[in-house]
Amino acid sequence: LNLNNARFETSAVKPEQYPAEDIPEVAFVGRSNVGKSSLINVLLNRKNLARTGSVPGKTRVINFYNIDGCIRFADLPGYGYANVSKKEQLVWGKMADTYLNTRKQLKLLMMVVDIRHLPSELDIMMYEWIKGSGLPHVIAASKADKISRSQTGKMIKDISSVLEITEGTELIPFSAVSRAGREELWKAIERGVASCSS
Ligand SMILES: Nc1nc2c(ncn2[C@@H]2O[C@H](COP(=O)(O)OP(=O)(O)OP(=O)(O)O)[C@@H](O)[C@H]2O)c(=O)[nH]1
Ligand SMILES: [Mg+2]
């Protein structure tokens, strides 16, 4: 898998706009501002391929990234951002919902949670959906650089317990600053997307 061949493919708000070519897809889900786009950049060794920002609610469309014609990443709009209208939240929720419920190429879910906080009600709902979907999934606990090593262990335990994570599900501390966790997350991706495991 040649990461130098990673490129932005397209943005979509509805299925007709999703890329047509059938290659395995990894979808990134999580609360707004949790670090989904930053994680994508670190995985792909790019500074700003996926747009990130200090303004939460930046990603208002589904952004697709094609990696070497072999895997596609789908960066979904974050949920739970309070400072937008209810109507807008509904629109984004529906967008992610439609994607998750219809996308045949979806092979792996990468859920991102903030390692500093216990999962919110919406995180729990998201994870319930993931469990129910039966799709392979991995959880990245982002912003690990913001807490100490001893806190990391405790938070991983507490987050696992609040989410009631299933046996064998990986919950990997990650930092977009130190890049800690990047290798483990790639391994999880390669396991989930078997045809691209080179
Ligand atoms: N310290 C630290 N900051 C991070 C990390 N990951 C993301 N951030 C910061 O958190 C903010 C939000 O990151 P994004 O990657 O844009 O988050 P997002 O989940 O894509 O947000 P939406 O697109 O709004 O859903 C940015 O200011 C990032 O620089 C991390 O691992 N450590
Ligand atoms: Mg984003």
Side-chain angles (χ1 to χ4, degrees):
L1 189 67
N2 184 0
L3 292 186
N4 293 323
N5 272 337
R7 61 182 177 90
F8 169 75
E9 200 166 3
T10 193
S11 295
V13 298
K14 52 186 178 191
E16 304 88 273
Q17 299 165 336
Y18 300 167
E21 194 199 350
D22 185 6
I23 59 175
E25 236 160 69
V26 181
F28 292 72
V29 301
R31 186 175 60 69
S32 182
N33 211 41
V34 72
K36 298 176 295 300
S37 302
S38 302
L39 168 58
I40 289 175
N41 285 329
V42 169
L43 287 172
L44 300 179
N45 292 331
R46 296 296 173 84
K47 280 238 147 58
N48 220 355
L49 186 61
R51 258 195 265 152
T52 63
S54 47
V55 184
K58 264 235 145 160
T59 314
R60 300 174 177 219
V61 293
I62 303 174
N63 287 313
F64 291 93
Y65 301 90
N66 184 308
I67 303 122
D68 206 15
C70 185
I71 308 183
R72 192 181 288 121
F73 286 177
D75 189 5
L76 299 190
Y79 50 74
Y81 179 53
N83 278 11
V84 297
S85 68
K86 273 272 175 306
K87 194 179 160 205
E88 258 189 310
Q89 290 202 35
L90 274 174
V91 170
W92 301 352
K94 182 106 194 356
M95 211 190 290
D97 238 56
T98 302
Y99 171 86
L100 291 170
N101 285 301
T102 63
R103 190 62 163 162
K104 296 274 186 299
Q105 293 98 314
L106 177 57
K107 292 292 181 295
L108 178 74
L109 280 153
M110 175 78 72
M111 179 163 171
V112 187
V113 297
D114 189 321
I115 200 164
R116 296 169 298 173
H117 308 295
L118 292 178
S120 69
E121 211 50 57
L122 288 170
D123 288 325
I124 294 169
M125 280 172 61
M126 183 71 238
Y127 191 63
E128 284 297 322
W129 185 89
I130 292 173
K131 283 193 276 193
S133 75
L135 280 164
H137 55 273
V138 55
I139 307 174
S142 68
K143 311 200 181 184
D145 55 282
K146 297 213 178 204
I147 62 174
S148 70
R149 211 174 251 273
S150 59
Q151 281 175 300
T152 300
K154 184 187 176 335
M155 286 310 295
I156 290 293
K157 246 171 89 187
D158 291 351
I159 292 169
S160 308
S161 133
V162 171
L163 288 180
E164 300 180 14
I165 73 169
T166 48
E167 183 95 25
T169 296
E170 291 180 281
L171 175 48
I172 298 167
F174 171 78
S175 166
V177 174
S178 72
R179 299 163 62 92
R182 179 180 181 275
E183 290 307 312
E184 288 95 321
L185 289 169
W186 260 121
K187 283 197 186 114
I189 292 171
E190 288 173 349
R191 271 194 297 277
V193 183
S195 61
C196 278
S197 58
S198 60

